[in-house]
Amino acid sequence: EITSLLSLYGGQFSSEQEIRVNSPFWILNIPSEEMARGLMKRTVCAKSIFELWGHGRSAGELYASLKNYPMDKMLPYLQSDSTYKVHIHTFNKTLTQAQKIKKIDALEFLPFKGKVNLKNPEHIFWILEDYGMDPNNVPEEPFHLYFGRWIADGQRELIESYSVKKRHFIGNTSMDACLSFIMANHGRVKPNDVVYDPFVGTGGLLISSAHFGAYVCGTDIDYNTIHGLGKASRKNQKWRGPDENIRANLRQYGLEKYYIDALVSDSSRPIWRKGMLFDAIITDPPYGIREATRRTGSQKETVKTAERSTENHIFVSSSYHLSDIFFDLLKFAAEYLVMGGRLVYWLPIYRPEYTEEIIPRHPCLKLISNCEQMLSSHTSRRLITMEKVKEFKDQDQNAYLLDGQYTPYRGHNSFREKYFSGVTKRIAKEEKDNQK
C-alpha cells in the first residue's frame, strides 16, 4: 500500500530501510511535508508519519545523530513562544513511567525553549524504540531508536466508520472495510477516476474508491443482488428491504454523487464498446465457495435448465471455471484499462502447492505486487496488483503465459484450471470443517 501511494504522491523508501525490512518503523524519502500529509490522508496501514531528526542502534548513536541534525531545521519548532510535548512509543515492550521520564530527560541537550503543554501542544515529538517482532524474546535494549517531529496520522479510523457491521446493504462476501481501502490504494485511485468492478456484488469495493473521489460502476450476473431483491444476508432478517441496494450504500456515506450505475451482466461476455474506459478495475471474483461461479448459457449453448429470479426475469446459467474467470478478467483489463491503469483482485491459493507460476499473466499487464492474506494453515488468498504497460492488440486477444511463453489460451486442459479446481475444493472442505 505504501509503495503504491509513494508512486502516486512522490517519494521512495530509504536505502537504509533495506537493512531493517522486518521493522515496524520505515524510513521514507519524501520531498516535502505536503506530500507526506497527502500520503497519510490515504493510508489505512500506516499509523503516523514523522520528520526524522535522528536515529541509531543505541541511545548513544541516537544522541550523536541528533547533534548532527541541522540546527536551522530544528529551530522553527523550538522557539520560546511555542509549546511542545514528547511522547515515547515502544514496539514489543512496555516501559514504566519512571523509565519514560528518564529517556525524555536524556534529551536535555536539545535546545527546547518553549513551554511544555501536555494537553494541546503546537509541536509533538516522539521517541520510537524497536524491540523486535518476537514477543517471546524481548531484548533488554532496543534494536533501533528514532526521534522525530510528528506530522500526521493515517486513516485507520476509516476502518471503523465504514465497518460492514454498520452498512445498510451487505451480502455473504461483502469485503472488509480495511481491505477495501487497501485495494483502492493499490489501484492508485484518485479524484475523477472511473473505477469498475466486474463482480460488484453489494458494492463494497465501490465505496472505498468513491471515498477517494472516483466515479464508480460495476456489473454482476446476479439479478437479485443488483436490484436489492431476495433473501437478506443479515442475521434475523429474512428478506431485503425496498431501499437495500448499492446506491443506498453510497448514499449512507454521502458518496451518491460518485455512483454511475450497476448493471446485470456476465463478466465472460463484456458489454462495453471498444476502447479504453477505466482508470482502475478493482474486484473480488467469486471462488465458488460462498458465492457460485456462474456465467450465462451452457457448455453447449443450449437451454437445459431455467432459473427464475423474479416473476419476469429468467436466465440460464452454467458453471464458470475459476481459471477461466481469471483469464477473462486479465483479458478484459488489458483491453479496457487506460495506459498505466491498474487491475487489483484476489486470487485463492492452496499454500502447500503454491508457486508464483500459478499467477495468471498477460503481455499487456505488468505484475506490481503480490501480497498474501492467510486464511488458514493451508489456504490463503493473494492480493494481485497489475498495471497496464502495453497497448492491447488483436494478437493479445487470447494471449496466456505458459512455461514462460505467451501462447494462445488452451482452455480447460491448462494446469491452472486443475490447480484452481483443487483450491476451491480444499477451501470449501476447510470451511465445512471449521463450521463443524
Side-chain angles (χ1 to χ4, degrees):
E1 187 206 44
I2 299 298
T3 303
S4 293
L5 292 176
L6 285 173
S7 70
L8 186 63
Y9 286 95
Q12 60 187 6
F13 281 93
S14 167
S15 57
E16 298 179 53
Q17 183 58 43
E18 296 175 8
I19 306 169
R20 298 181 297 280
V21 174
N22 294 321
S23 171
F25 303 107
W26 294 350
I27 301 177
L28 309 176
N29 289 328
I30 300 178
S32 70
E33 186 171 319
E34 182 183 359
M35 288 182 180
R37 291 184 185 277
L39 186 149
M40 297 310 287
K41 287 179 180 178
R42 293 287 301 262
T43 176
V44 292
C45 289
K47 295 184 74 173
S48 303
I49 195 165
F50 309 88
E51 181 184 59
L52 185 63
W53 286 16
H55 65 99
R57 287 169 291 184
S58 64
E61 281 190 18
L62 171 64
Y63 303 151
S65 178
L66 284 170
K67 289 173 183 176
N68 289 328
Y69 191 72
M71 188 60 64
D72 60 313
K73 292 185 178 181
M74 284 189 185
L75 288 179
Y77 309 102
L78 307 178
Q79 297 299 314
S80 57
D81 59 349
S82 66
T83 58
Y84 73 95
K85 72 174 177 179
V86 179
H87 265 305
I88 293 185
H89 175 74
T90 54
F91 187 86
N92 200 28
K93 188 169 185 175
T94 302
L95 300 181
T96 64
Q97 191 63 26
Q99 288 174 314
K100 290 181 179 181
I101 292 173
K102 184 178 179 180
K103 290 177 181 289
I104 293 173
D105 289 343
L107 296 173
E108 61 183 2
F109 62 88
L110 291 175
F112 286 109
K113 297 179 181 178
K115 295 181 180 179
V116 173
N117 185 330
L118 299 181
K119 291 186 177 181
N120 189 28
E122 290 180 58
H123 310 298
I124 306 173
F125 302 93
W126 286 68
I127 301 171
L128 306 167
E129 298 187 347
D130 178 9
Y131 287 87
M133 309 288 278
D134 185 0
N136 298 316
N137 187 23
V138 181
E140 279 296 317
E141 298 297 325
F143 293 125
H144 217 91
L145 302 92
Y146 308 83
F147 180 86
R149 177 178 65 89
W150 174 84
I151 295 176
D153 288 333
Q155 302 299 307
R156 296 180 71 85
E157 73 276 0
L158 293 178
I159 299 170
E160 179 62 26
S161 57
Y162 282 86
S163 172
V164 174
K165 295 178 183 177
K166 303 174 183 177
R167 193 166 300 163
H168 195 63
F169 179 45
I170 61 170
N172 294 333
T173 56
S174 292
M175 183 61 66
D176 170 79
C178 178
L179 296 177
S180 179
F181 280 103
I182 289 173
M183 292 177 76
N185 283 331
H186 273 242
R188 297 194 300 190
V189 173
K190 56 188 182 299
N192 298 320
D193 277 356
V194 177
V195 177
Y196 173 63
D197 183 353
F199 304 96
V200 70
T202 55
L205 294 179
L206 302 186
I207 293 170
S208 55
S209 294
H211 174 84
F212 293 135
Y215 293 93
V216 295
C217 58
T219 58
D220 201 285
I221 196 172
D222 193 321
Y223 183 94
N224 282 356
T225 302
I226 290 294
H227 290 277
L229 304 173
K231 292 183 178 180
S233 298
R234 205 177 298 277
K235 190 177 180 181
N236 300 325
Q237 182 181 340
K238 190 171 182 179
W239 301 101
R240 288 171 177 148
D243 60 343
E244 287 189 58
N245 51 60
I246 297 172
R247 183 184 292 276
N249 272 352
L250 288 153
R251 187 185 304 124
Q252 178 182 351
Y253 300 111
L255 302 172
E256 187 178 1
K257 65 180 179 179
Y258 296 112
Y259 181 56
I260 299 173
D261 209 344
L263 311 174
V264 180
S265 171
D266 177 1
S267 65
S268 70
R269 302 169 184 265
I271 60 176
W272 306 100
R273 64 171 171 79
K274 297 295 181 182
M276 298 179 290
L277 293 173
F278 306 112
D279 297 286
I281 297 172
I282 299 175
T283 191
D284 181 27
Y287 312 142
I289 302 160
R290 284 179 290 171
E291 294 289 348
T293 55
R294 295 182 294 140
R295 60 178 164 189
T296 56
S298 65
Q299 297 295 340
K300 296 181 180 180
E301 298 298 327
T302 59
V303 177
K304 291 185 177 179
T305 59
E307 298 176 10
R308 184 175 293 272
S309 296
T310 66
E311 289 186 358
N312 58 3
H313 181 80
I314 297 175
F315 68 89
V316 180
S317 68
S318 66
S319 62
Y320 193 7
H321 290 273
L322 202 55
S323 59
D324 287 341
I325 289 178
F326 296 121
F327 169 70
D328 290 340
L329 178 62
L330 263 65
K331 184 173 68 172
F332 180 86
E335 186 170 2
Y336 289 96
L337 276 175
V338 300
M339 190 60 65
R342 287 193 169 187
L343 165 67
V344 184
Y345 71 96
W346 289 101
L347 185 74
I349 290 299
Y350 182 64
R351 301 184 76 236
E353 297 177 6
Y354 168 75
T355 65
E356 200 162 301
E357 187 184 30
I358 293 300
I359 299 170
R361 303 293 180 94
H362 192 281
C364 297
L365 303 172
K366 177 185 177 183
L367 181 65
I368 299 296
S369 66
N370 174 6
C371 310
E372 184 178 30
Q373 182 197 20
M374 295 281 291
L375 300 177
S376 72
S377 59
H378 289 87
T379 60
S380 67
R381 60 179 179 175
R382 289 183 172 265
L383 183 59
I384 306 297
T385 303
M386 308 185 88
E387 185 173 311
K388 185 170 180 177
V389 294
K390 175 179 174 286
E391 294 284 0
F392 183 85
K393 305 292 184 184
D394 289 340
Q395 59 265 34
D396 299 321
Q397 183 69 24
N398 291 311
Y400 201 72
L401 187 67
L402 188 64
D403 299 329
Q405 298 292 324
Y406 284 102
T407 62
Y409 182 55
R410 302 185 186 280
H412 305 308
N413 293 325
S414 73
F415 74 96
R416 285 186 182 83
E417 192 278 325
K418 296 174 184 176
Y419 175 84
F420 287 121
S421 292
V423 168
T424 303
K425 291 175 184 176
R426 290 184 180 98
I427 296 177
K429 184 179 183 301
E430 287 207 6
E431 285 205 352
K432 288 181 181 178
D433 292 343
N434 289 338
Q435 287 174 357
K436 289 177 182 178

